[in-house]
């Protein structure tokens, strides 16, 4: 079997199509005991903000049918500590790294882009606009086309590197194509989709929301059909816009659905908590799934579900 799994996201050439999903494998180092991290398509790091952040109140996780709800709340060490401890490890180990960034304001995104643009070893920027805008009633940037494009315009204006900018979209919108179009017009080279869906679990013994932060993000297989639908819709409307697909991928078969819907690569998230080798396993399974259907390369299947 010799299936060519190489792919690309805009100008970024990838030897392998599976990546970690932001927030599900920290900065990749913990995965090193389970496989060669440099052989992954890329590590997408946990979203980093300008300053250290402690995240939301506990409990922060709840199991749900075929998924999980988390309210970590962008906990992290802040940009400088990330560069010193995490990015340096990734660079030393030749890992293709997509840095995920988050901010509470357009200015915070801009500042992060300025700080990162000359840092070597960044293969791509994933701009997590699925976080609340502190200056606009806590509204999530990715839920409004104007806020979403304001962030991407600011990052684009400062980003002098040739590494692509991917906008990470939220599925919690009426029309995800409108948002994808607005970020593409603002200068995103591609989109990552989907982030978690907003959910809630109630503890009926004490009659309170179970998570300390009350609401949380739903991930895992439960959201996969929503994610596949989102990828399909965006690829149908914007066929030239590269898509990094994610949402409940557990197997090569699942990954193939995303590729056929229009994704050029996939991120592996929640499944990694139970199976840390999943990003490598899914790539191997994907090769078998393609081979079994007579395909010689992944590229020929991108968007295949739209043909005919
Ligand atoms: C515990 C946890 C933390 C996450 N943290 C981030 C994050 O920091 N930034 C981000 O863009 N997405 C974050 N996500 C969303 C994932 O990257 C992914 O988009 C989503 O979980 C869907 O994929 P999955 O079902 O394979 O997990 C997080 C998800 C989980 C479960």
């Amino acid at each position: 079997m010799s299936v060519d799994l190489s792919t690309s996201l805009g100008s970024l050439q990838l030897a392998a199509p599976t990546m970690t999903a932001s927030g599900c494998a920290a900065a990749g180092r913990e995965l090193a005991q389970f496989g060669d991290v440099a052989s992954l398509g890329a590590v997408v790091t946990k979203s980093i903000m300008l300053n250290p952040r402690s995240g939301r109140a506990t409990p922060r996780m709840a199991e749900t049918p075929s998924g999980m709800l988390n309210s970590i709340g962008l906990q992290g060490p802040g940009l400088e500590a990330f560069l010193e401890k995490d990015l340096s490890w990734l660079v030393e180990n030749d890992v293709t790294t997509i840095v995920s960034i988050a901010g509470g304001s357009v200015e915070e995104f801009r500042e992060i882009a300025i700080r990162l643009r000359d840092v070597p070893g960044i293969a791509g920027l994933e701009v997590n606009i699925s976080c609340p805008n502190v200056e606009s009633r806590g509204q999530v940037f990715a839920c409004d086309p104007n806020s979403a494009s304001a962030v991407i315009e600011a990052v684009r204006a400062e980003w002098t590197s040739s590494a692509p900018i991917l906008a990470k979209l939220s599925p919690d919108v009426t029309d995800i194509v409108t948002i994808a179009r607005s970020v593409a017009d603002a200068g995103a080279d591609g989109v990552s989709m989907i982030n978690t869906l907003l959910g809630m679990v109630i503890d009926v013994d004490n009659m309170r929301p179970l998570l300390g932060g009350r609401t949380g993000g739903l991930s895992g297989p439960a959201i996969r059909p929503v994610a596949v639908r989102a990828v399909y819709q965006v690829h149908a409307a914007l066929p030239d816009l590269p898509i990094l697909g994610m949402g409940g991928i557990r197997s090569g078969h699942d990954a193939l659905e995303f590729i056929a819907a229009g994704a050029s690569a996939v991120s592996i998230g929640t499944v990694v908590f139970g199976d840390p080798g999943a990003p490598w396993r899914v790539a191997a399974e994907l090769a078998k799934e393609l081979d079994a259907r007579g395909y010689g390369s992944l590229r020929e299947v991108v968007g295949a579900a739209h043909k005919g």
Side-chain angles (χ1 to χ4, degrees):
M1 181 183 74
S2 69
V3 176
D4 177 6
L5 289 182
S6 68
T7 184
S8 57
L9 285 171
S11 61
L12 177 61
Q13 302 299 317
L14 299 162
T18 59
M19 311 185 178
T20 60
S22 179
C24 298
R29 193 191 299 221
E30 288 85 348
L31 287 189
Q33 55 187 306
F34 304 101
D36 174 14
V37 182
S39 73
L40 293 173
V43 162
V44 182
T45 59
K46 166 88 188 156
S47 295
I48 195 75
M49 300 186 78
L50 210 46
N51 298 312
R53 228 178 119 96
S54 51
R56 291 170 85 182
T58 55
R60 295 168 162 191
M61 296 272 192
E63 264 191 56
T64 61
S66 296
M68 81 181 212
L69 205 60
N70 91 82
S71 63
I72 308 290
L74 296 180
Q75 178 179 351
L79 189 56
E80 293 307 320
F82 164 77
L83 293 177
E84 208 175 292
K85 298 199 185 99
D86 295 327
L87 190 66
S88 57
W89 183 87
L90 291 160
V91 171
E92 270 164 36
N93 288 278
D94 276 333
V95 178
T96 304
T97 303
I98 296 183
V99 175
S100 170
I101 65 171
S105 65
V106 172
E107 279 319 300
E108 185 172 356
F109 279 100
R110 184 193 301 280
E111 277 186 57
I112 297 174
I114 291 172
R115 177 68 184 91
L116 288 181
R117 65 187 171 195
D118 298 320
V119 174
I122 299 178
L125 211 54
E126 186 171 82
V127 185
N128 178 10
I129 51 175
S130 317
C131 44
N133 177 351
V134 291
E135 286 162 359
S136 177
R137 294 169 282 115
Q139 188 197 41
V140 172
F141 290 101
C143 293
D144 172 67
N146 296 325
S147 315
S149 62
V151 172
I152 300 301
E153 259 168 36
V155 172
R156 174 90 275 164
E158 306 301 345
W159 192 239
T160 44
S161 155
S162 62
I165 296 173
L166 305 173
K168 177 123 179 217
L169 305 189
S170 165
D172 289 336
V173 292
T174 310
D175 178 17
I176 200 158
V177 172
T178 306
I179 310 290
R181 209 184 292 279
S182 71
V183 295
D185 289 346
D189 300 297
V191 287
S192 297
M193 62 170 68
I194 57 173
N195 212 318
T196 53
L197 284 92
L198 197 63
M200 183 184 272
V201 171
I202 304 278
D203 176 349
V204 292
D205 289 328
N206 66 12
M207 290 297 171
R208 292 278 178 282
L210 191 146
L211 295 178
R214 294 200 286 258
T215 58
L218 182 64
S219 64
I223 73 170
R224 194 168 59 239
V226 176
V228 172
R229 179 270 298 168
V231 170
Y232 186 93
Q233 286 180 326
V234 170
H235 186 73
L238 303 163
D240 298 325
L241 187 68
I243 300 175
L244 172 59
M246 71 212 67
I249 297 176
R250 269 193 311 197
S251 66
H253 189 278
D254 299 341
L256 184 53
E257 273 196 67
F258 281 79
I259 304 296
S264 296
V266 292
S267 273
I268 312 297
T270 300
V271 67
V272 169
F273 295 113
D275 175 10
W280 294 276
R281 177 179 56 74
V282 170
E285 290 175 3
L286 181 56
K288 284 192 195 140
E289 297 285 353
L290 289 166
D291 187 56
R293 289 164 180 76
Y295 297 111
S297 71
L298 179 141
R299 285 177 202 261
E300 69 195 89
V301 186
V302 174
H306 294 262
K307 297 181 183 118

